[in-house]
Amino acid sequence: MMQKVDILKLSSQDTELLKACSVLDRLCLPSEAWSFESFRAETEKPSGIVLAAVNQDSVLTGFLTASCIIDTADLTNIAVSPACRRQGIAGMLLQALFSECGQADIFLEVRESNQNAIALYQKYQFRQVGIRKNFYHNPEENAILMQYGGNSLC
Ligand SMILES: CC(C)(COP(=O)(O)OP(=O)(O)OC[C@H]1O[C@@H](n2cnc3c(N)ncnc32)[C@H](O)[C@@H]1OP(=O)(O)O)[C@@H](O)C(=O)NCCC(=O)NCCS
């Protein structure tokens, strides 16, 4: 069932939501998951962005992390609760990031087997601009480098 969600930019004071981000991260991407402290540290950096999708019961349904410096941003992670997928929540998080970052070019890496995420990024006009060989471990895998906006690196 579709649910209404709000997108919030978290601060270091949002302890419960930051803890919920780390729990969701462990569930979705166990081999690369960030701890609560890593999420909190991100909110404390001037360049750090942690966006949370929260439903009407104040429950976290998704999050996005990024780092934005002047005209370049790195989208470091995005995840949506399995029960809430295909409802446009990741799309809402990406659109909130576009608003946060203004005209910045946005880069990301994604496992080449992660077709769901690649389809998401393509829908929102990211395009492949490179491959990083054996970028990931557990299991070892190439990363597809994608970019939103600006001119291609190659
Ligand atoms: C990838 C992920 C964040 C997508 O979240 P979501 O909220 O379900 O995505 P949305 O509903 O906003 O989907 C937007 C578009 O992405 C694509 N997409 C998302 N999930 C898809 C799937 N399972 N199969 C095919 N396309 C998919 C579609 O184009 C979709 O548009 P449509 O529903 O109109 O067809 C979610 O599946 C997830 O948390 N995966 C595990 C974590 C992960 O892999 N993160 C990426 C790390 S790089």
Side-chain angles (χ1 to χ4, degrees):
M1 193 177 69
M2 295 288 271
Q3 50 182 323
K4 184 183 175 307
V5 300
D6 292 314
I7 306 296
L8 312 176
K9 184 176 181 186
L10 301 188
S11 77
S12 61
Q13 307 302 308
D14 292 310
T15 306
E16 292 311 314
L17 283 172
L18 291 168
K19 283 183 183 164
C21 287
S22 83
V23 170
L24 178 56
D25 200 11
R26 260 199 317 279
L27 177 72
C28 295
L29 295 160
S31 66
E32 296 144 35
W34 287 8
S35 65
F36 158 67
E37 281 305 335
S38 301
F39 277 96
R40 189 164 66 181
E42 205 58 26
T43 64
E44 288 170 342
K45 290 184 199 159
S47 60
I49 297 170
V50 181
L51 299 175
V54 178
N55 72 12
Q56 283 173 308
D57 299 321
S58 302
V59 172
L60 184 88
T61 57
F63 71 82
L64 178 157
T65 57
S67 164
C68 186
I69 300 176
I70 312 174
D71 56 1
T72 303
D74 286 307
L75 195 174
T76 42
N77 202 355
I78 184 168
V80 171
S81 297
C84 304
R85 289 184 186 163
R86 292 314 283 272
Q87 298 177 28
I89 293 174
M92 289 174 65
L93 287 162
L94 285 176
Q95 283 171 325
L97 178 67
F98 299 153
S99 301
E100 277 291 321
C101 291
Q103 298 297 307
D105 293 344
I106 304 173
F107 293 89
L108 62 83
E109 283 106 9
V110 55
R111 284 184 181 269
E112 64 184 359
S113 64
N114 194 345
Q115 291 302 318
N116 298 344
I118 291 169
L120 165 73
Y121 299 137
Q122 285 172 336
K123 178 173 177 179
Y124 288 90
Q125 274 73 58
F126 284 82
R127 62 195 184 284
Q128 181 172 338
V129 291
I131 291 183
R132 296 200 198 287
K133 287 274 176 205
N134 302 327
F135 180 81
Y136 292 105
H137 304 282
N138 302 321
E140 193 166 278
E141 189 174 347
N142 297 339
I144 306 287
L145 177 64
M146 302 184 84
Q147 177 180 359
Y148 170 87
N151 298 314
S152 296
L153 287 178
C154 49

